[in-house]
Amino acid sequence: MESHEAAQVRLPQLRLDELLGELQARLDAARGTRDRVHSLLEAVLSVGRELDLEQALRSIVEAAAVLVDAEYAALGVIGPDGRRLSAFHTVGVTEEEIARIGPFPEGHGILGELIREPEPLRLAKLSEHPASYGFPPNHPPMNSFLGVPIRVRDQVFGNLYLTEKRGGGQFDEEDVSVTSTLAVAAGVAIDNARLYEESRLRERWLRASAEITNSLMSGSPSAEALGLIAEQAREITGSALAAVATPMADTDSLTVEIAVGMDADAHQGLVLSLDRTLMGLAFARDALVTSTNVVRDERVSPEPPRFTGLGPAVASPIGTGETGVRGVVLLAREAGRPPFTAKETEPLQVFAAQAALAMELAERRRDAEEIAVLKDRDRIARDLHDLAIQRLFATGMTLQSAGRFIEHSEAAERVLRAVDDLDETIKIIRSTIFGLRAREGGAGSGLRARAVRVAGEATAALGFAPSVRMEGLLDTDVPKEIADHAVAVLSEALTNIARHAHADRTEAVLATDGRELVLTVRDNGVGIPPEGRRSGLRNMAERAAELGGRLEWDCPQGPAGGGTTLVWRVPVVREPGQP
């Protein structure tokens, strides 16, 4: 009887213990769920605060590892082709371990499975999956696995990879749920960071365009504007090299005016064809041209070698077919860097178009200023002709008439000298008038301007700037045919000095008295050796003989040398009606 009563007492006690134990387990589970939800909310807030994209990706990986208690975590960003990973962010592996393992994975095996099928994937043992083919040497062992895709506006941005749950356990459905929730928040954070990054990028492009416009409109040379275009585009796009090429007059070629960055000297001054260069293709097509690897691009000639160490490249025309393509800007990144995306090239094209517009406006402004100067020159020339010359001529006639009545010989001689001085002054003023009113052939087509241009072009070869002096009415008294020969002789003389004379000083003098044109070129070089070639001198002499003139040269010999003096003289035939 007593044992039966005791059993009845123990039975309720056992049921109560079970109920209390179950209640405690549920309380613990609720507390754990509460703590996990709290951790998830903290992770979402932490990720959402980041506006820098790289930092946001790092925060997402760290938060995911903490939430599911994973020893290793990674975030793989899917590249533009949608098949491979273009970036990889890790947690739990040191820099030394990464260096020993080797390059980051590109998306093969299990990682590629998530790219092909963007759905949560949970595995108890990685090696048992059919897509698994092992790890590279020095890779830490990994068994349990959880993968979750991250979507940004209905597009898969990348995947979260979590391995090795601490304590040797397995990832469960709750881990999948928590990680999927974090992935949704991560997608929003990545989208916000992208938008912020794009807005900052647009702001930088706008500032760059404003700087170029201000530079051009303030009167800066076009070369300075091209340099700004190259520098700004290189800095904004993170490129290693930037170059700007412009079309060469009357040719189907481009010349690289500006090159900055990696191996810039290999590009500076290059003459490029339109069919075997990236810049030439962009110019000929009037369209953006990109290359994932400019070194191995079959469209680009490997000669001369100039892209060593470079990879992705893009060439964009400066201007459009409607307003005229003014040049091409080339950008190239180092080998291994990501290729240029549409989000990068679109603002580049807008920037190049705005730069071309600024160059057009600056040219129009300079044209307007030049027209104003030309009008002012016309007014000055008219005043000189109508007022100054007539007054001087009248004064000279008066003095000539008065000289007849002067009996003192010395006084009469002084009056005659004064009349001669007035005649010379009239000639100088007429020369000035002709220079002010020169229009034939366009600006810079006279002998004076052409001679200066030839001397400037020879500066690079000589290593110094030659001295140029001019005397007389060169643009009015020297016919075009004779001027053409004189320019050719001057060019050949300076070229010969650059090649053979080893001089450090050269002087060229062009002079005419209305009857003869004399070109004198002197240098302080080694002179002409007796056994030296005479082909250049022969050409100059033949040109002089063709015009009824002659060539003379003087080359002092001796230990001190003395350089060479060339004198090329031809008669000037006045054209009918020329005063």
Side-chain angles (χ1 to χ4, degrees), residues 423-567:
D423 287 340
E424 191 63 31
T425 303
I426 290 172
K427 289 180 181 179
I428 293 172
I429 294 176
R430 279 180 174 169
S431 175
T432 303
I433 292 172
F434 282 125
L436 290 170
R437 287 182 169 175
R439 293 290 186 275
E440 185 178 355
S445 63
L447 179 55
R448 288 175 177 269
R450 293 172 66 187
V452 171
R453 193 155 52 241
V454 166
E457 292 170 353
T459 299
L462 288 167
F464 58 89
S467 170
V468 180
R469 289 192 299 111
M470 296 176 221
E471 301 172 2
L473 307 180
L474 294 171
D475 289 342
T476 55
D477 283 352
V478 180
K480 185 178 183 304
E481 180 188 0
I482 297 177
D484 291 342
H485 283 283
V487 170
V489 169
L490 175 61
S491 178
E492 186 162 4
L494 294 176
T495 300
N496 289 340
I497 292 171
R499 289 177 178 174
H500 309 297
H502 305 291
D504 58 17
R505 190 171 64 254
T506 298
E507 180 188 38
V509 181
L510 266 171
T512 183
D513 58 0
R515 296 182 296 274
E516 186 180 49
L517 173 67
V518 181
L519 168 60
T520 306
V521 182
R522 301 184 183 90
D523 68 74
N524 65 341
V526 298
I528 303 175
E531 69 280 0
R533 295 176 60 187
R534 297 290 193 271
S535 58
L537 294 173
R538 191 182 308 113
N539 291 337
M540 298 180 202
E542 288 175 356
R543 287 181 181 275
E546 182 180 337
L547 299 172
R550 64 187 184 279
L551 171 70
E552 302 168 352
W553 71 85
D554 182 27
C555 185
Q557 300 297 319
T564 304
T565 299
L566 296 177
V567 181

Side-chain angles (χ1 to χ4, degrees), residues 17-281:
D17 289 342
E18 290 176 0
L19 290 172
L20 287 175
E22 184 179 349
L23 178 61
Q24 183 63 43
R26 291 188 178 184
L27 287 174
D28 291 342
R31 188 179 297 110
T33 302
R34 183 199 63 187
D35 293 343
R36 199 159 197 185
V37 170
H38 181 69
S39 298
L40 177 61
L41 289 174
E42 284 186 344
V44 169
L45 291 174
S46 174
V47 168
R49 280 194 295 265
E50 295 294 342
L51 287 177
D52 180 77
L53 183 57
E54 291 296 317
Q55 189 57 44
L57 298 177
R58 182 77 182 177
S59 299
I60 292 167
V61 180
E62 293 173 348
V66 171
L67 280 175
V68 298
D69 206 18
E71 187 173 351
Y72 305 106
L75 192 157
V77 180
I78 299 176
D81 60 1
R83 297 189 300 272
R84 295 185 179 182
L85 299 176
S86 61
F88 210 73
H89 304 265
T90 62
V91 168
V93 186
T94 64
E95 293 294 333
E96 292 76 12
E97 290 175 321
I98 293 173
R100 287 197 299 270
I101 294 170
F104 283 118
E106 295 184 354
H108 304 293
I110 298 295
L111 305 187
E113 189 72 16
L114 266 173
I115 295 175
R116 291 185 292 272
E117 297 290 336
E119 297 294 336
L121 177 64
R122 181 166 58 94
L123 301 173
K125 196 170 183 62
L126 268 169
S127 58
E128 295 178 352
H129 193 278
S132 176
Y133 59 84
F135 296 104
N138 303 315
H139 197 285
M142 294 180 180
N143 292 300
S144 55
F145 174 84
L146 173 61
V148 176
I150 299 175
R151 287 181 168 84
V152 178
R153 296 190 181 186
D154 298 327
Q155 290 185 348
V156 179
F157 172 82
N159 296 302
L160 274 172
Y161 307 111
L162 303 154
T163 60
E164 288 300 285
K165 191 174 180 70
R166 297 182 187 277
Q170 304 295 323
F171 296 108
D172 53 25
E173 289 296 334
E174 190 174 347
D175 292 328
V176 175
S177 177
V178 169
T179 309
S180 298
T181 304
L182 177 65
V184 174
V188 176
I190 291 170
D191 194 29
N192 289 337
R194 274 180 164 180
L195 292 173
Y196 177 70
E197 192 176 74
E198 289 173 10
S199 66
R200 290 186 61 191
L201 189 62
R202 283 195 297 270
E203 182 182 354
R204 294 181 69 186
W205 282 119
L206 288 173
R207 284 203 304 266
S209 295
E211 184 177 354
I212 291 170
T213 301
N214 290 337
S215 173
L216 285 167
M217 298 308 289
S218 62
S220 299
S222 58
E224 185 176 324
L226 295 178
L228 276 175
I229 291 172
E231 286 284 3
Q232 296 284 7
R234 184 175 76 96
E235 181 182 350
I236 293 174
T237 59
S239 300
L241 169 74
V244 177
T246 56
M248 297 178 66
D250 301 325
T251 65
D252 291 332
S253 303
L254 301 174
T255 179
V256 179
E257 299 282 354
I258 299 292
V260 292
M262 186 172 173
D263 289 337
D265 291 341
H267 296 262
Q268 186 75 43
L270 279 181
V271 177
L272 307 174
S273 66
L274 300 185
D275 57 350
R276 291 286 288 158
T277 62
L278 212 62
M279 301 178 89
L281 292 174

Side-chain angles (χ1 to χ4, degrees), residues 362-415:
E363 284 186 6
R364 293 293 176 265
R365 179 177 177 178
R366 285 194 293 269
D367 289 344
E369 292 174 351
E370 185 175 349
I371 289 173
V373 170
L374 293 176
K375 287 182 177 179
D376 200 37
R377 286 182 176 181
D378 284 341
R379 180 188 59 78
I380 295 171
R382 186 172 58 252
D383 291 346
L384 286 173
H385 184 272
D386 295 344
L387 300 176
I389 287 183
Q390 300 302 327
R391 294 286 297 273
L392 289 172
F393 187 76
T395 303
M397 294 292 291
T398 301
L399 287 174
Q400 259 185 330
S401 300
R404 300 183 188 135
F405 301 102
I406 298 175
E407 296 180 357
H408 194 284
S409 59
E410 185 176 348
E413 184 179 349
R414 288 188 179 183
V415 169

Side-chain angles (χ1 to χ4, degrees), residues 273-325:
S273 66
L274 300 185
D275 57 350
R276 291 286 288 158
T277 62
L278 212 62
M279 301 178 89
L281 292 174
F283 183 85
R285 298 176 184 177
D286 186 18
L288 191 84
V289 178
T290 59
S291 175
T292 56
N293 190 335
V294 70
V295 176
R296 299 180 180 176
D297 197 321
E298 295 180 353
R299 299 171 299 174
V300 179
S301 171
E303 297 295 335
R306 58 197 185 278
F307 292 117
T308 304
L310 297 174
V314 59
S316 174
I318 301 175
T320 63
E322 297 177 357
T323 59
V325 179

